[in-house]
Structures are given as C-alpha cells and as structure tokens.
C-alpha cells in the first residue's frame, strides 16, 4: 500500500555500509588498531582552519536574521558571484552569478539535473566503474540508466562500447573525473573524443545529448602535470555538478552547485528547469550559513598532501607485491584487480588478514576491489604485511 | 526536449515573489519606510542567543572532521534522541531516536513523505486555505492533490465537504495547524472528528489513510489556553513533518525531521520507505553542524512576544476599522476578508496606500488576503492610517 520501491531502497543496506558495520563489530573484538578498514570514502583530513575561523566571524559580524534566513532559491548572489569569479580565474571561463544554482551537495545537484531533463523513455549513460547511487537518482527521476563496460586496464572510455550504447533515447551522459572508484582522470584526448561523439550523435538523432559532469573530486589531484579538463570548454551542452564535500572536507554540511553555462541550448529554459526541479524535489535553498561561508572561502582546499602520500605508499607497496592497479591521478581511491575471479571470495579472504575492501561489483565492475586511502598514513604502513600475506596466498610476491 | 513541467515550475514566479519584487522597486522610489510590505512569511525575530553561542562552542570544542562529516542517513543518533526526549517531556509520548528521520527542512520532510507513500492514482487531500507548494510536492511524487473548500468564517474543517472528498484513491490527508495562511489552530474537537472520519474511511475502503501533519508553527501560539493537539496521540497512522525554521528562526539552514510513530501500520516498512525516499530524492543527510546544534538546543524557542504584540495590534486595529478576520491563535498570519469580491482588485487598491497583501487565491481561498505580521511593530503602527483609508474607500470605519 506504500511505495515498495522506497521500502526497498530504505531497507537494502549498501555493501559499504555492511562492511562498515562488520568493521565496528570486529574492532570491538580485536581493537580498532588491528583492523585495516579501507571501505569508507570519507575525507580524513580536516577542513582548512579558515573554515572554522570564517564561520565564527560570520556568527560574530552578521545580523543573525539574515545570516540564517532564506536565500533566494538559486542561492545567495554574492556566493554565486564568488564561485563564478574563482572558476573564471582558474579556467579562463566567463561565468556570472546567473550560471549557478546552489544545492544541498552533489547528490542533490545530480538529482536536480536528472529531474530537469528526464522525460519518459529517456536513457542516461554511465561508464563503469561508477558510483552506484547514480542508478537510484536516475530511476527516481523516471529515467533509465545504461551502463557502458569499462576499458581495462586504464579506465579511460571504450568508445566502441560507448557508441553502441547511444540510442535515440539517450538524454545525457554522466562522467565523473577524477573517478570514484578508480581514481582515474580523463585525459584531454578522452574528453575531446567523448565530445566529438556527443556532437555526432546529437546531430544523428536530431536532439541534444547532454553531458553531466559530477566533479566533487575536481581539486583532488596529486601531480602537477595532471590537468582535469573543464568540460564546458569542450562541450557547450554540459551541466556541472559540484560539491564542497571533498575539497573542503565538509561532506555532512551538504553544500554544492549546478553550473549551467550560458551557451547551453535554450539557456533560459534549462536554468529554469534546474530551478523548477529543485523546487519540485523540496529543496528550498542551500544551507544559508554555509553559502555565506563559501562566498568568503571560495578557492580554498583542504591540505591534500596526506592523500598524495597515502596514494604513493599504497600504489607502490601493492604493485611491488604483485598487485595490478591503474595509478590513480586523483580522488582518494585505488582500484585493484582481485587475485581471483570471484571478487566477493577475494574480499572474504582479505578479511582473514583484517583487510576490509569493497568489491568492484558494487561499482558495476566485478573483478576489482576499491581501496579508499582517505585513512591515516600509519594504517597504510601497518597494513602492508597483511597485503603481502594475502598476495602470497595467491602465489605472488 | 527537457521537462517542460520543470521549466514551468522554474519560470512561474509565485505571487508572493512578484509582490516582493514590486516592493523592492517601490521602496527605491519612495523609501522603504513608506512601504507596508506584509507579503513575506519570514521570521523577523532573531534566533535565541544560545544558537550562536552553541555554534561557536561546537566549532571550538569538536573535532572538525566529525563535526562536518556525514551523519547516518537517518541523522545523528544523539540529535534524534534529544528530540525524542523533548517531545516525550512535553507531550507524554514515548518516542525513541528510531522514530525520527532528520531532514533538510519541512519542504524536504513533506516531499519525502509523499514520495514514500505515493502510488499511481493516489490522492492527497488538503484543506483550503493551504500552502500552495503542497501541490508541487504531491505532483512531483506522482500523486494528485484534492482540495476541500474552507469552512468559513472559523477555518476549522468542513466535515461534510471532507467526507465527500475522500475516495478509494485517498492515500493521505495533509493538515497544517497552526495554519499558514489563516493562523488558525485546530481545536481538539476538530482533531477528534477528523481522526474519527479517517478511521471510518480507512475501514470503509479497506486501506490505511495516513495523516500528514505539517507543523513548522507548532510553538508559535500566543495564548496560554491554546493547545496544539499532538496528532500521533489521536491517530496512529500519522506522519509528523517538522522544521526549526520558525521556532528557532533558522529558515535558511534547512533543518527538520519526519517523525514515524512506532504504532503506525507496518512501522518497519514505513520507516524504511521514508529512508528510501530521502535517498531517492538525493538527500544524503541533514546538515551536520545544525544537527549537532539541535542536539544541544532542543526545546529552545525564539522570543515570539513580538509576534503576539503584532497580532494583537493588527487584529484589534483591523476589526475596529470594520475588517472581518478570524482571530489567529498561532503562526504569524492574519487572513482577512477582502472588501470586494475580486481579491486581486482589492489588493491593487491596497497598493495605492502602499499596503502589500497576498491574495488568498494563492492559498486556494479567494475572497481573502494574507497579512504576514512577522514585521516590526512600528510597521504595523504606521500602517494603520493606510488600512483605515482603504476601509473608507469601501464605506467602512
């Protein structure tokens, strides 16, 4: 009598949540320091000091009625202008406040874009491996998710598979670079080819195919030579979904935006549809205090040097021991080939060594495991003998 | 090619927003002090001092990674327990943390409940006058809104009209007491009769009809003898949608909850459906810092004595001048009978005296205007000659 789809979504624990619960139980048994929990993709470095300082400054200086009051639905104009200015400085774009709609984080940004776009029978294409909540959001908006299989071992795009997946029903393509769970950043040549195919297929089917760029990890890249292409510069029909969860270590505060570039087809309608979708989903405005924080702290990033150190230690340590893995350029994940065909069996065997890994099946990519390295460096150092022992079981190392 | 429903929702400015824009233009012309803008239902009293103090305390004392980190989807357990304890103390209930799902404000709470409940062909009943965004949220969830005409002049429930509106398709009934826009509080006898009809109709149609109580104004009542009945005590199949926007003057921060009582039919499924709907709509968790604030400040209320003073001044002033109006027991609105049949014409005439009122048409109740008295007392005092002059145009006073 009530929505069984919603009951199902509420009851089905995610695999990651199952591991998290197991981790708590196991920690109580043998001590947290003896568990190597690599399951959770939660920022482990604190927000920059300026975040706390600025929040206190706002509380001291601003009139509390307006500080905590409603902003307009699209967000505080000063916040949106600050974000536009920052992106323009970094990417040579020319956005204004009117290109932004502030949201309650990236999940909201994505849900709003899907709701704004989706008509019955619409398909949304995603590249494996991918964050599985995409399916939940797309289906809630009435669309269908279409998976393109991964290109191994580098996890760029398999363009033959992609072309085959596009149909007259394709409404949009979702990309996530730096990627969860692979850590891979799409190269400029990947981006250019992707956009070329999008142009071609849009012309072929006589309607726009949108590109939705989910980029909460944009600033989490670890080498100077790695550039994360800014997609609106390559393809005008791009919607950018951003969140400050990772760059400022504020995942619980739910603050982000949708960027609608002026050159998108029918800008006025598209921006209105984003506003309308936010309204329809019950998003009145993004949290006011944190909007005002962003206006003052835009461009700041948490100290991500720990993630870089962790990545290097883990990538080098594992590959030296015989594991196969694409070197991640960004995000805080390593996507490692399982040492046997049955990924779940591999993860179970890893548990014997107290290594908690997430099967790639959960990301549409069986045969791999995700290792979230947003943990202490010490945990990585102490886990190495466990990874070594696990490899030896499979005759490696 | 994109959702025209969403484009429409994004483009259609609300009547209140139109008035707000007019107000800004007019203020630039003749000075803000000469405009009597009664259009916006925004708290005008500041949050209690403890809010700012506690936020700073949390920033100083708590580990920033966990302070700003994800909470579980249903919300921080300590926050939910604090809310349960507070309600139990005030209403003699016996809720636990497990009865609560924290949300990004009442609009989110409502959207989540509708999404959790709605199946194709489901109808949701609402009593005029009502907050018109209900229609947007119900339709976004795939349901149909059914309006019951108002009972005049007291705006309690017209039970004949209500009974006639209930059908085999009725999934839920929405109530909002204290009410926006009438300020009316449902009496206990109204509540008892409502619940009796709900029991009877549930039995008649062989399925549960849920009661959804939207109560952001619960604490905004102005007389000691006015009790706002706590609906889960009268009807077990009640979902309560609450927000701290009004009670703590935090409308922009988006913090509230859904309360699912244990005695509701199939509690486990219902609670799961609420969690599932929150997940499907892209609500990951309620803002973390404000959840932790609520855990420490539950039970606090802004100083609402200004609203009481405003209500008395305005109600007495208008009725003395010949206006007809139900005396509002709560919220911060007065719902006044227009002095001519065409409400919009009446509002236009009021504009001549710089009085900005919202036509009741916008609340499913033509023939009335809403006056939001969450303004300065001085504005009310200075507006009296304008109301008097307006009344005189119609031969009153």
């Amino acid at each position: 009598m009530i929505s069984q789809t919603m009951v199902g979504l509420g009851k089905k624990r995610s695999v990651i949540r199952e591991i998290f619960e197991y981790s708590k139980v196991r920690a109580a048994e043998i001590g947290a320091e003896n568990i190597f929990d690599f399951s959770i993709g939660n920022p482990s470095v604190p927000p920059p000091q300026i975040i706390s300082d600025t929040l206190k400054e706002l509380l001291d200086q601003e009139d509390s009625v307006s500080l905590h009051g409603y902003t307009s639905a699209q967000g505080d104009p000063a916040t949106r202008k600050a974000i536009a200015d920052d992106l323009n400085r970094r990417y040579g774009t020319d956005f204004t406040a009117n290109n932004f709609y502030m949201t309650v984080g990236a999940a909201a940004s994505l849900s709003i874009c899907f709701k704004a776009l989706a008509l019955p029978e619409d398909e949304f294409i995603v590249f494996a491996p991918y964050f599985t909540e995409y399916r939940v959001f797309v289906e809630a908006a009435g669309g269908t998710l279409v998976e393109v299989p991964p290109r191994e071992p580098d996890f760029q795009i398999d363009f033959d598979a992609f072309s085959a997946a596009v149909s007259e029903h394709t409404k949009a393509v979702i990309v996530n670079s730096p990627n969860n769970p692979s850590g891979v950043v799409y190269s400029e040549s990947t981006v250019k080819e992707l956009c070329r195919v999008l142009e071609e297929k849009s012309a072929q089917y006589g309607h726009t195919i949108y590109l939705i760029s989910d980029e909460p990890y944009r600033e989490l890249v670890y080498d100077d030579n790695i550039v994360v292409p800014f997609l609106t510069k390559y393809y005008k029909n791009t919607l950018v979904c951003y969140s400050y969860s990772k760059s400022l270590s504020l995942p619980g505060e739910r603050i982000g935006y949708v960027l609608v570039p002026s050159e998108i087809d029918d800008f006025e309608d598209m921006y209105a549809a984003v506003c309308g979708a936010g309204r329809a989903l019950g998003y009145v405005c993004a949290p006011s205090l944190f909007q005002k924080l962003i206006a003052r702290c835009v461009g700041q990033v948490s100290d991500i040097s720990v993630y870089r150190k962790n990545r290097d230690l883990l990538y080098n340590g594992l590959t030296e021991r015989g594991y196969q893995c694409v070197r991640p350029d960004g995000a805080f994940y390593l996507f490692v080939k399982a040492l046997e065909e049955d990924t779940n069996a591999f993860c179970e065997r890893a548990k014997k060594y107290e290594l908690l890994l997430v099967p790639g099946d959960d990301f549409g990519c069986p045969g791999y495991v995700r290792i979230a390295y947003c943990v202490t460096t010490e945990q990585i150092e102490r886990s190495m003998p466990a990874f070594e022992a696990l490899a030896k079981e499979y005759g490696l190392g």
Side-chain angles (χ1 to χ4, degrees), chain A:
Chain A
M1 278 300 307
I2 63 176
S3 168
Q4 291 306 309
T5 311
M6 296 305 127
V7 174
L9 283 175
K11 281 197 173 170
K12 193 175 166 276
R13 256 187 187 170
S14 75
V15 174
I16 296 173
R17 173 62 54 147
E18 292 282 1
I19 297 170
F20 178 71
E21 298 296 334
Y22 170 84
S23 171
K24 279 199 298 191
V25 172
R26 192 69 182 134
E29 287 168 7
I30 63 166
E33 70 285 3
N34 297 311
I35 309 284
F36 309 119
D37 186 349
F38 292 104
S39 65
I40 304 282
N42 233 349
S44 57
V45 303
Q49 181 59 39
I50 193 175
I51 295 299
S52 171
D53 293 347
T54 306
L55 287 170
K56 284 190 272 184
E57 221 172 78
L58 286 163
L59 290 165
D60 284 333
Q61 295 170 359
E62 300 292 313
D63 167 61
S64 63
V65 170
S66 79
L67 183 62
H68 302 298
Y70 292 114
T71 68
S72 74
Q74 55 271 49
D76 187 66
T79 304
R80 291 183 285 129
K81 181 175 187 311
I83 296 169
D85 291 349
D86 176 61
L87 289 178
N88 293 344
R89 197 163 43 235
R90 288 159 65 195
Y91 299 106
T93 46
D94 55 356
F95 302 122
T96 72
N98 298 330
N99 296 114
F100 295 85
Y101 175 87
M102 299 302 298
T103 67
V104 184
S109 300
L110 290 163
S111 298
I112 286 168
C113 288
F114 300 149
K115 185 84 176 171
L117 291 174
L119 296 173
E121 301 195 41
D122 274 355
E123 295 176 353
F124 292 77
I125 291 180
V126 72
F127 301 99
Y130 67 96
F131 178 49
T132 41
E133 290 296 285
Y134 291 158
R135 181 180 298 280
V136 175
F137 303 151
V138 164
E139 290 178 356
T144 302
L145 196 81
V146 173
E147 264 183 52
V148 174
R151 178 171 116 172
E152 299 178 74
D154 69 357
F155 296 113
Q156 299 284 323
I157 291 173
D158 177 339
F159 282 102
D160 289 337
F162 173 48
S163 290
V166 180
S167 79
E168 59 180 320
H169 297 299
T170 306
K171 175 55 74 69
V173 172
I174 308 160
V175 292
N176 171 223
S177 164
N179 183 263
N180 172 14
S182 73
V184 164
V185 174
Y186 283 163
S187 67
E188 189 177 32
S189 67
T190 293
V191 166
K192 284 185 168 166
E193 179 61 9
L194 171 64
C195 297
R196 193 194 64 72
V197 176
L198 287 171
E199 300 280 8
E200 181 186 290
K201 295 287 183 179
S202 293
Q204 180 183 336
Y205 291 112
H207 71 254
T208 303
I209 300 175
Y210 294 89
L211 182 58
I212 298 176
S213 181
D214 176 29
E215 39 188 70
Y217 299 99
R218 164 161 289 280
E219 288 79 12
L220 274 65
V221 287
Y222 304 113
D223 299 290
D224 291 343
N225 63 329
I226 299 298
V227 174
V228 182
F230 201 84
L231 297 187
T232 64
K233 299 176 74 170
Y234 294 84
Y235 189 67
K236 67 173 184 163
N237 287 308
T238 298
L239 295 165
V240 177
C241 296
Y242 186 79
S243 157
Y244 293 92
S245 293
K246 272 64 180 187
S247 61
L248 287 175
S249 301
L250 297 173
E253 306 301 358
R254 316 309 304 141
I255 181 83
Y257 59 76
V258 176
L259 161 55
V260 185
S262 302
E263 59 274 23
I264 205 166
D265 290 349
D266 304 314
F267 169 78
E268 206 184 304
D269 277 12
M270 188 67 236
Y271 188 82
V274 165
C275 296
R279 181 177 170 196
L281 296 174
Y283 292 105
V284 174
C285 65
S288 177
L289 176 65
F290 282 88
Q291 284 195 57
K292 280 145 193 163
L293 172 82
I294 296 299
R296 295 192 184 196
C297 297
V298 75
Q300 299 284 334
V301 177
S302 296
D303 175 9
I304 60 169
S305 61
V306 175
Y307 299 146
R308 179 189 291 113
K309 190 171 175 191
N310 288 357
R311 182 210 47 182
D312 291 342
L313 267 172
L314 198 58
Y315 176 76
N316 295 335
L318 291 186
T319 50
E320 281 163 15
R321 284 164 180 82
Y323 290 91
Q324 287 171 42
C325 168
V326 62
R327 185 168 186 273
D329 287 318
F332 37 48
Y333 308 105
L334 214 68
F335 208 50
V336 181
K337 206 153 173 49
L339 298 178
E340 62 181 291
E341 203 157 320
D342 181 341
T343 328
N344 287 292
F346 176 67
C347 288
E348 280 307 310
R349 197 174 287 210
K351 267 190 194 169
K352 282 193 352 196
Y353 301 96
E354 312 302 344
L355 291 166
L356 305 185
L357 318 174
V358 182
D361 310 53
D362 209 38
F363 302 94
C365 198
Y368 289 81
V369 293
R370 188 186 81 168
I371 300 180
Y373 56 79
C374 42
V375 297
T376 62
T377 304
E378 196 216 345
Q379 175 177 324
I380 291 175
E381 286 164 342
R382 286 192 299 103
S383 71
M384 277 302 146
F387 278 114
E388 184 160 327
L390 178 63
K392 282 207 172 122
E393 283 216 24
Y394 293 94
L396 295 176

